[in-house]
Amino acid sequence: MVMEQRIQQLRQQLQKASYAYYVLDDPIMEDSIYDQLYRELDKLEQENPPLITPDSPTQRVGDKPASQFISINHNIPLYSLENAFNLEDLQAWEKRWRRYTEEENIASVEYVCELKIDGSAVALTYENGLLIRGVTRGDGTTGEDITQNVRTIRSIPLKLNLDNPPPILEVRGEAFLPIDEFNRINGEREEKEEPLFANPRNAAAGTLRQLDSKIVYQRRLQFFAYTLHLESTEITNQWESLNYLQNSGFLVNPHRKLCRSLEEITEYFQQWETDRKELPYMTDGVVVKINDYSWQKTLGFTQKFPRWAIALKYPAEEVPTTVKDIIVNVGRTGAVTPMAVMEPVHLAGTTVQKATLHNSDRISQLDIRVGDTVIIRKAGEIIPEVVRVLTELRPPNSQFYQMPNICPECNSPLKRPPKEAVTRCMNLSCGAILRGSLVHWASRDALDIRGLGEKIVILLIDNGLVDSIVDLYNLTSEKIAHLERMGDKSANNLINAIEGSKKRPFARVLYGLGIRYVGSVNANLLANNFSSIDQLSQASFSDLSSVYGVGEEIAQSIIDWFSIEKNCDLIQQLKEVGLQLETTQTKINNVDASLTPFSKKIFVITGTLPTLKRNDAKVLIVEAGGTVTNSVSKKTDYLLVGESPGSKLTQAEKLGITKLSEEEFLRFLKSE
């Protein structure tokens, strides 16, 4: 009975997602989530054949198109692609198509690999070189006429760039929203208190179905063409088709590759699994197609998919799981962050059991409850967060979660400051705040005190040995050797590490202080512009906000931090124990950093450097008096370029920014 209920729940949820995607063009679920729930349903049905019904999502291809637009029958169906989720699936696909041809020992087969763009499929029709129709994918057989909207997309030519265009040309491609544009649109929607788009694909699909084409024009969609249908004997393969499309005036993804083996496909796939993070648009996998059209014709189609193509997906960025509990965590700034404790699930290369819920507003927005099935992802590919709740799978009698009003660490009242979304513990003596501050102080990018992790910090606090950062510098090996997990050797190593942290440069001490919004990059910017903690503490709002990369929010946070008497006392105590609280001129080959060609210069790094790790390159730049930022702008002086550079290289070339290879960069340093 439980199995039958689960099957019914999955069917209802998948049908709802299918309707939203194909009919409303307003996706409510990522492909990776749909695939996993679909596979679960398919597995349950295969194990229980009597439970299979004709209306199951596993037994049909798609739904009816939306009624708000004129329905158009596709002259040539738009098939979906079969998905491969690992290299074993790819090998199995190759074996299948080879068996189908009854010629398993074919020696020379070429494959075209293209990035799978995360957007919305569109079919375009040209008559005598002029665009006459643009149609959504719909259910693959019937779509909706959105011609007026596709005409606003500048990367779709209104007239083909051909002297003798064919009478009829059908082009298929993907309309998508660049990441910068997606962020801009969501920023505007947030200001207007409108619902935010969940992702660029959702935004692209919603934009294409706007009734007002002016809105579509304002959102600056882009379009990559990836295939054509043309009655011509001159074009014999997919590679030639892509070149033809490019010559006709279409934007064709430049990162395509012609491969001659699964090994080459694997290399391409693995390269872009990392490099895609540098792209200005979203991609969730690689599309692999047999290049030769005669082979494509021989292989044909199944009921759902072409046999000659497959989508090799990257590990799911979003996955479903269930909530076991909701707890709160108190951070070093006193911020109280609710966390979902979940059934363990594999996400982006790691096993995840907890995910952030951000704040009470987010909890209300999600309406998340214990027992819910939720979708999680890694924000910035680092911190797991809950994206949404599948309320259709919610258990009965679930209870809405209320944030606590008492700090779980120190029993002090919790408050939500005006104009803030975060609930905070205001007790600066709270154990959680002290613990977080010490762990942050000892972290690698701050004072880098080896051996002083969270467990040792808790041990020191629980034994009454530290009550502030300064107390670390009053510890002796005799005081800590008797503690659990210590002993004489470990105690000596820790004391030496604490003593060694006194040599860390001013910028790292500044970062270690944990001033709100001051990260390691901003700490370097501040240290380069204010030579001491005293100078920084006396800087005006105008002085601070005028520093490139700092801005008003950070400037105000710094002023607020120095306005607290306890913080000023801390600075004085740190001076007395010997911390570096002013900038010392770094020398490279016995030359002051202020005299190097990189002094006060702004760098951006892109690609993989041949010998240097990115962090090592940053250190060298900072030591040479320069600054490293994450994005290219008119103020950027140098772009340090490695292998497989991303979109930053294109931006830099447009702005005429000087490019340096690692070899040139190191030669500059050594020559001074």
Side-chain angles (χ1 to χ4, degrees):
M1 187 64 181
V2 174
M3 185 180 300
E4 292 181 18
Q5 290 176 346
R6 182 61 177 174
I7 287 175
Q8 188 60 30
Q9 285 180 330
L10 289 167
R11 284 177 183 161
Q12 291 173 353
Q13 183 65 9
L14 290 171
Q15 286 165 350
K16 182 179 179 180
S18 181
Y19 177 81
Y21 183 84
Y22 291 112
V23 179
L24 302 181
D25 253 347
D26 185 22
I28 61 173
M29 183 181 293
E30 293 295 315
D31 287 350
S32 59
I33 306 301
Y34 187 98
D35 292 336
Q36 290 183 56
L37 295 178
Y38 184 99
R39 282 190 162 193
E40 181 183 351
L41 175 61
D42 190 45
K43 182 174 183 290
L44 290 173
E45 289 183 345
Q46 293 300 322
E47 292 172 352
N48 303 272
L51 298 180
I52 298 176
T53 60
D55 65 341
S56 173
T58 63
Q59 304 301 304
R60 63 182 181 181
V61 176
D63 298 304
K64 295 180 181 179
S67 59
Q68 294 92 332
F69 293 87
I70 299 173
S71 295
I72 301 289
N73 290 325
H74 292 297
N75 294 327
I76 302 168
L78 273 77
Y79 284 84
S80 299
L81 290 176
E82 181 182 1
N83 289 326
F85 294 93
N86 50 54
L87 298 176
E88 289 74 21
D89 288 349
L90 181 67
Q91 292 168 346
W93 167 74
E94 188 194 46
K95 289 179 181 177
R96 283 198 302 276
W97 75 252
R98 285 182 179 274
R99 282 198 301 269
Y100 188 84
T101 64
E102 298 182 353
E103 297 185 45
E104 292 190 48
N105 296 321
I106 303 170
S108 56
V109 177
E110 291 182 331
Y111 302 94
V112 175
C113 289
E114 305 167 58
L115 297 180
K116 187 176 183 297
I117 308 302
D118 204 9
S120 190
V122 175
L124 306 173
T125 302
Y126 288 79
E127 283 188 4
N128 298 315
L130 297 179
L131 175 67
I132 64 164
R133 186 176 296 119
V135 183
T136 65
R137 181 188 182 279
D139 64 0
T141 302
T142 305
E144 295 77 54
D145 190 333
I146 54 167
T147 306
Q148 284 301 110
N149 287 344
V150 300
R151 286 176 65 88
T152 69
I153 303 175
R154 290 185 176 273
S155 46
I156 294 178
L158 301 179
K159 181 179 180 180
L160 297 178
N161 186 30
L162 297 172
D163 293 333
N164 297 297
I168 296 291
L169 174 66
E170 295 222 7
V171 176
R172 306 289 164 77
E174 199 84 1
F176 65 95
L177 204 59
I179 295 171
D180 286 348
E181 186 63 17
F182 169 74
N183 292 334
R184 182 189 68 81
I185 293 170
N186 260 355
E188 291 178 354
R189 293 176 73 87
E190 187 173 22
E191 289 178 3
K192 297 176 183 176
E193 298 185 351
E194 296 176 348
L196 302 185
F197 287 118
N199 50 57
R201 185 174 67 110
N202 177 294
T207 299
L208 285 174
R209 297 192 78 259
Q210 289 289 328
L211 296 176
D212 185 354
S213 60
K214 292 180 181 177
I215 295 176
V216 185
Y217 179 80
Q218 291 167 357
R219 291 187 182 173
R220 306 168 194 166
L221 285 169
Q222 286 280 27
F223 178 85
F224 277 133
Y226 56 67
T227 194
L228 58 78
H229 295 281
L230 174 67
E231 292 184 6
S232 170
T233 57
E234 296 179 0
I235 299 176
T236 62
N237 58 54
Q238 172 67 9
W239 193 258
E240 292 174 358
S241 292
L242 293 173
N243 291 333
Y244 181 91
L245 286 167
Q246 187 166 314
N247 293 334
S248 299
F250 288 96
L251 181 63
V252 178
N253 195 287
H255 303 300
R256 58 192 183 273
K257 184 177 182 181
L258 194 62
C259 298
R260 292 173 174 80
S261 66
L262 292 192
E263 288 74 21
E264 289 187 25
I265 295 174
T266 300
E267 290 176 4
Y268 178 88
F269 176 77
Q270 291 174 339
Q271 173 195 345
W272 284 106
E273 186 171 10
T274 300
D275 291 355
R276 66 194 176 111
K277 297 168 187 175
E278 297 281 346
L279 293 171
Y281 47 81
M282 300 295 291
T283 175
D284 60 354
V286 169
V287 175
V288 182
K289 302 174 185 176
I290 293 176
N291 189 33
D292 192 281
Y293 278 172
S294 63
W295 277 109
Q296 290 187 14
K297 185 176 181 180
T298 298
L299 291 168
F301 300 81
T302 67
Q303 184 181 1
K304 298 181 180 180
F305 313 119
R307 292 189 179 90
W308 42 267
I310 195 166
L312 183 55
K313 294 286 197 76
Y314 290 116
E317 299 295 330
E318 297 189 359
V319 296
T321 185
T322 55
V323 179
K324 297 165 61 179
D325 194 9
I326 298 176
I327 61 174
V328 294
N329 176 63
V330 184
R332 62 181 174 84
T333 64
V336 178
T337 305
M339 305 279 290
V341 181
M342 308 162 301
E343 289 291 340
V345 64
H346 193 70
L347 174 64
T350 61
T351 299
V352 174
Q353 292 180 279
K354 293 181 181 179
T356 181
L357 297 171
H358 297 291
N359 52 54
S360 56
D361 287 347
R362 183 59 175 162
I363 286 180
S364 298
Q365 184 182 34
L366 289 168
D367 184 22
I368 188 170
R369 308 178 186 186
V370 174
D372 276 343
T373 299
V374 297
I375 308 304
I376 63 171
R377 71 179 172 199
K378 284 193 174 179
E381 302 184 353
I382 298 173
I383 304 171
E385 66 176 352
V386 174
V387 180
R388 58 189 173 277
V389 177
L390 303 182
T391 54
E392 293 80 358
L393 304 181
R394 172 172 286 165
N397 304 319
S398 61
Q399 299 293 316
F400 181 76
Y401 177 78
Q402 294 285 346
M403 285 282 288
N405 52 23
I406 297 295
C407 177
E409 294 279 348
C410 67
N411 294 320
S412 299
L414 298 178
K415 294 183 180 180
R416 180 170 170 175
K419 298 182 181 180
E420 286 196 22
V422 177
T423 302
R424 295 185 183 277
C425 175
M426 310 304 288
N427 175 18
L428 294 179
S429 299
C430 175
I433 296 176
L434 174 60
R435 181 172 65 245
S437 298
L438 291 172
V439 170
H440 175 73
W441 178 265
S443 64
R444 186 179 66 178
D445 291 338
L447 280 294
D448 193 18
I449 303 176
R450 303 294 174 88
L452 187 58
E454 184 172 15
K455 291 181 180 179
I456 299 300
V457 165
I458 293 172
L459 202 61
L460 295 173
I461 294 173
D462 289 348
N463 282 272
L465 294 173
V466 294
D467 194 35
S468 73
I469 290 172
V470 174
D471 289 340
L472 291 173
Y473 297 91
N474 295 321
L475 293 173
T476 63
S477 56
E478 291 77 19
K479 288 181 180 180
I480 63 175
H482 68 282
L483 298 177
E484 185 182 357
R485 299 191 186 95
M486 272 298 175
D488 292 337
K489 184 175 181 180
S490 297
N492 285 328
N493 289 340
L494 179 56
I495 296 302
N496 289 336
I498 293 172
E499 186 65 22
S501 71
K502 294 179 180 179
K503 299 177 182 178
R504 305 287 182 256
F506 173 40
R508 294 176 68 172
V509 177
L510 184 57
Y511 172 61
L513 290 173
I515 301 173
R516 198 173 178 194
Y517 306 131
V518 177
S520 58
V521 173
N522 290 326
N524 276 300
L525 290 173
L526 292 165
N528 285 341
N529 285 272
F530 302 96
S531 61
S532 69
I533 197 74
D534 292 334
Q535 191 181 70
L536 180 64
S537 67
Q538 296 166 15
S540 67
F541 179 85
S542 177
D543 293 336
L544 292 165
S545 58
S546 64
V547 175
Y548 174 70
V550 172
E552 296 181 357
E553 190 173 44
I554 299 172
Q556 189 59 54
S557 177
I558 294 168
I559 289 173
D560 291 344
W561 194 88
F562 281 107
S563 69
I564 298 173
E565 187 176 350
K566 285 187 67 174
N567 292 336
C568 295
D569 291 342
L570 173 63
I571 295 301
Q572 184 58 40
Q573 292 167 346
L574 291 175
K575 287 181 181 178
E576 291 172 1
V577 297
L579 270 297
Q580 299 293 325
L581 291 167
E582 60 183 22
T583 300
T584 55
Q585 291 292 347
T586 303
K587 291 190 175 183
I588 301 172
N589 290 344
N590 297 317
V591 177
D592 283 348
S594 61
L595 302 178
T596 73
F598 298 150
S599 177
K600 304 296 183 182
K601 301 298 183 182
I602 297 172
F603 277 76
V604 173
I605 305 173
T606 184
T608 303
L609 300 175
T611 63
L612 291 174
K613 292 181 179 179
R614 188 166 291 205
N615 280 340
D616 294 338
K618 288 181 179 179
V619 169
L620 289 174
I621 291 168
V622 171
E623 289 181 346
T627 299
V628 181
T629 61
N630 293 323
S631 57
V632 174
S633 73
K634 292 180 180 179
K635 293 186 178 181
T636 305
D637 295 297
Y638 294 104
L639 183 73
L640 180 53
V641 184
E643 297 176 3
S644 303
S647 59
K648 294 173 184 176
L649 176 59
T650 304
Q651 293 173 286
E653 289 175 339
K654 288 180 180 178
L655 295 172
I657 292 165
T658 303
K659 295 176 290 183
L660 294 177
S661 66
E662 180 189 293
E663 182 181 0
E664 291 170 327
F665 169 69
L666 294 175
R667 188 164 62 245
F668 266 118
L669 290 179
K670 292 177 180 177
S671 64
E672 294 298 324

